[in-house]
Amino acid sequence: MFKKYSKFSALILFSIFNIFVTTASAIDLDEATRTINLDGSGKTAILTPEQVKRGKRLFNATCGACHVGGVTKTNPNVGLDPEALSLATPRRDNLNALVDYMKNPTTYDGLESIAEVHPSIKSADIYPRMRSLTDEDLYSIAGHIMLSPKVLDEKWGGGKIYY
């Protein structure tokens, strides 16, 4: 009898704990944190909470296999951290530039197309996950890439010391 009640009590305690933990772990990012660079001219955009959630989900599903935590598995020297994105040619440290890259990727120096080896809208016939992505989806993914360094600090693009 004691065993039966102890299991029931444990289940009740676990349920109560889950209710409180779920509400306590929800991250509510303020507007200043959700403000990211829109283009190279200094214009900014504010991501909605829905875009933040959607961007993270789409990034993990579409890009996460090769870019876990902002690191590039195929070339660890080039990550998705702000410094690496700003040193690319053309610069990829703003939302519009990242969307352009996801449509038509080029090498880090910008001289050659890498659409056949990097998932993109241009190569959607080779990479099926890219087929159904809309411009709004690309905007959300780019927003996630731009927002992550603000949330994760040096962990985003920090390499295998964190992942």
Side-chain angles (χ1 to χ4, degrees):
M1 190 73 158
F2 176 74
K3 190 174 182 181
K4 187 182 210 182
Y5 286 117
S6 64
K7 286 182 182 180
F8 180 72
S9 298
L11 181 65
I12 295 295
L13 286 174
F14 180 74
S15 299
I16 292 171
F17 177 76
N18 262 348
I19 290 169
F20 289 112
V21 169
T22 311
T23 47
S25 67
I27 298 175
D28 188 29
L29 301 174
D30 63 348
E31 199 170 282
T33 305
R34 291 184 284 116
T35 302
I36 57 171
N37 292 333
L38 181 62
D39 57 25
S41 69
K43 292 181 183 175
T44 59
I46 300 171
L47 298 172
T48 66
E50 176 58 36
Q51 287 172 320
V52 172
K53 291 177 194 172
R54 181 185 182 108
K56 182 176 182 176
R57 181 180 51 81
L58 289 170
F59 178 86
N60 289 336
T62 309
C63 314
C66 295
H67 292 289
V68 174
V71 178
T72 304
K73 286 185 179 179
T74 56
N75 184 358
N77 296 321
V78 179
L80 299 177
D81 57 287
E83 182 183 7
L85 293 174
S86 69
L87 295 174
T89 305
R91 293 176 67 113
R92 301 292 184 187
D93 60 348
N94 62 69
L95 193 100
N96 289 339
L98 283 172
V99 169
D100 176 60
Y101 181 84
M102 288 184 274
K103 289 181 177 181
N104 186 21
T106 58
T107 54
Y108 196 67
D109 59 10
L111 298 177
E112 298 176 35
S113 173
I114 58 170
E116 291 191 14
V117 295
H118 190 281
S120 65
I121 298 300
K122 185 176 183 179
S123 61
D125 55 331
I126 302 171
Y127 300 100
R129 289 187 180 189
M130 301 300 287
R131 289 181 190 156
S132 61
L133 295 180
T134 63
D135 282 349
E136 180 62 32
D137 293 337
L138 297 178
Y139 187 91
S140 296
I141 293 170
H144 173 72
I145 294 169
M146 297 297 298
L147 180 67
S148 292
K150 292 180 173 185
V151 177
L152 300 173
D153 292 327
E154 73 274 355
K155 286 184 180 180
W156 181 256
K160 61 184 179 180
I161 59 172
Y162 296 108
Y163 297 96

